[in-house]
Amino acid sequence: MLKIHNTLLRDKQVFAPIQPGLVRIYVCGMTVYDYCHLGHARVLVVFDMVTRWLRASGYRVVYVRNITDIDDKIIRRAQENGESIQALTGRYIAFMQEDAAALGVLKPDHEPRATQHVAAMQRLIGALEHNGYAYVAANRDVCYSVRKFEGYGRLSGKSLEDLRAGERVDVMEGKHDPLDFVLWKHAKEGEPPEAKWDSPWGSGRPGWHIECSAMSSELLGPHFDIHGGGQDLQFPHHENEIAQSEGANGCRFVNYWMHNGFVRVDDEKMSKSLGNFFTIREVLKQYDAEVVRFFILRAHYRSPLNYSDAHLDDARGALTRLYTALKGVAAAPVQIDWNEPHAARFRAAMDDDFNTPEAIAVLFELANEVNRSHSAAAAGLLKALGGVLGLLERDPVAFLQSLPAAVGHLAAADIEARIAARAAAKKAKNFNEADRIRAELLAQGIVLEDKPGGATEWRRA
Ligand SMILES: [Zn+2]
């Protein structure tokens, strides 16, 4: 029985889809004017894992992840570059899709672009106006009146007063309340024609929040099962989506809200101003994409994820241990028997709010068993369960050969010292430690060969 932590209730809840057997899920995607960064990598990988697990659990899944291809930042960047909005967004959509594919992220069922759904956004704004939630502000923008919507702040668990305290009052915008947000932005002088649409409120473009309300109801209906996104979107974006969708459609919007945690870099917030901002591309120059995926999934999706070279090196060593176990054992292709003890524990972990660190711990237990017994069935199960997480799908030899040769150029004396430590660990029957040392050396391009009689020889791969 799957339980999901629902941000709305701040608690885990048994998952029951609206329509038995079918899960409809929407995740806020990227604003495409620059390369995706590590925070985007986490959203992509986390909700790929979620949809893979829902499918492995027997559900049919309709997964929508949108693309924001109209936005102030996009208009500004296109103008700076002296190119059209379409040229800019088209390029970064292609880069995003390359990054996602590299990280083993399967394509969502629908990837709607905001510019293709402007009519639906206008219909929604019209309904909000009709239902008394929208007004035309002094500056001609159409705004949402949050005080009209009972329950505003429920997702964040805050009152209107608490939320207002965090907002700067901007009287210039002509809003009735600092929390009111823009549904339709009036066109401004000098903006390119491709950033303007005709509407009952004059020429302009949609606000960011209305995009997701419109695209989700177009593709999934006004009421669906799961809405996901990064924790930073909880307020105001998701709070505003609820106010818009429920205000316009008059029914409940989403049953389960899921938010993944922040990415930190060397224990600091990742930000452009701190200079510790990494794009997926930069990271993939240094680390194998599967290592990055493994690093993301080894943490629970709701925990903060701390990026550092040491953590990535450690993830590489750990993934190397799993592939090393599979090397040399012909993994029998298996249909996963979920009653088998390892598989049962893996499933229990995943059903407990997608507890991937626990599920990955089961993979290591299986790897140890493969190392001990060389069982083709155990190796097959290891590969199959890894595959549920989008891991361990490559040929082990190809993965091991892809590792950087001699990272750090270990000196022979260091290697001998590590071999002695491994022999001591084996003698003490600490096989996990012995395996870890072997994998650590392998990750640095050093292959160990155990000879009859107990001696160990080494060579550079
Ligand atoms: Zn959104």
Side-chain angles (χ1 to χ4, degrees), residues 26-29 66 208-209 211-213 227-228 233 237-238 241:
Y26 184 93
V27 171
C28 294
N66 75 292
W208 172 42
H209 310 297
E211 294 179 6
C212 287
S213 283
H227 193 314
L233 297 185
H237 184 54
H238 290 161
E241 280 189 43

Side-chain angles (χ1 to χ4, degrees), residues 166-385:
E167 293 293 301
R168 256 175 301 173
V169 184
D170 194 348
V171 280
M172 290 304 287
E173 287 182 28
K175 290 177 190 170
H176 295 174
D177 188 295
L179 288 176
D180 289 355
F181 56 91
V182 179
L183 298 165
W184 188 259
K185 273 176 193 240
H186 73 279
K188 286 163 206 76
E189 194 88 15
E191 283 174 351
E194 48 179 353
K196 292 174 200 171
W197 286 262
D198 289 333
S199 86
W201 313 279
S203 172
R205 65 177 179 277
W208 172 42
H209 310 297
I210 198 73
E211 294 179 6
C212 287
S213 283
M215 289 185 274
S216 62
S217 69
E218 284 269 287
L219 292 159
L220 298 175
H223 178 206
F224 57 93
D225 301 295
I226 302 175
H227 193 314
Q231 197 183 314
D232 51 325
L233 297 185
Q234 222 176 90
F235 176 81
H237 184 54
H238 290 161
E239 202 77 69
N240 293 351
E241 280 189 43
I242 296 172
Q244 293 166 154
S245 294
E246 299 193 354
N249 298 324
C251 65
R252 186 172 181 179
F253 178 38
V254 166
N255 283 358
Y256 303 85
W257 282 92
M258 290 181 68
H259 292 97
N260 66 266
F262 289 113
V263 175
R264 298 170 64 78
V265 175
D266 294 325
D267 283 317
E268 281 192 84
K269 189 174 186 288
M270 180 172 73
S271 78
K272 279 190 173 150
S273 57
L274 286 171
N276 63 359
F277 190 86
F278 290 100
T279 66
I280 297 175
R281 269 153 205 258
E282 285 166 327
V283 174
L284 294 187
K285 276 184 199 150
Q286 204 184 342
Y287 292 97
D288 180 273
E290 190 176 351
V291 169
V292 178
R293 182 179 175 95
F294 179 84
F295 163 73
I296 292 171
L297 292 180
R298 202 166 58 155
H300 191 274
Y301 75 89
R302 284 190 286 118
S303 315
L305 179 69
N306 192 26
Y307 177 90
S308 70
D309 283 352
H311 285 108
L312 263 287
D313 288 342
D314 188 61
R316 177 161 59 197
L319 187 61
T320 302
R321 278 165 68 196
L322 294 178
Y323 268 116
T324 305
L326 288 172
K327 187 187 152 202
V329 183
V334 293
Q335 188 75 35
I336 300 169
D337 167 11
W338 292 108
N339 293 316
E340 190 280 337
H342 290 100
R345 255 179 298 139
F346 182 97
R347 179 166 73 172
M350 292 300 286
D351 276 347
D352 181 17
D353 191 30
F354 308 95
N355 192 336
T356 51
E358 285 290 325
I360 286 174
V362 174
L363 301 185
F364 281 98
E365 287 170 27
L366 268 169
N368 288 338
E369 193 181 312
V370 174
N371 288 335
R372 268 195 307 275
S373 68
H374 298 280
S375 149
L381 185 59
L382 170 57
K383 204 169 153 49
L385 290 177

Side-chain angles (χ1 to χ4, degrees), residues 386-427:
V388 170
L389 297 175
L391 298 168
L392 302 180
E393 294 177 306
R394 286 144 79 184
D395 170 43
V397 175
F399 172 81
L400 295 170
Q401 282 173 348
S402 77
L403 295 171
V407 179
H409 298 286
L410 278 189
D414 294 330
I415 297 167
E416 296 294 351
R418 301 305 294 145
I419 289 173
R422 176 169 170 265
K426 276 170 111 174
K427 206 167 169 196

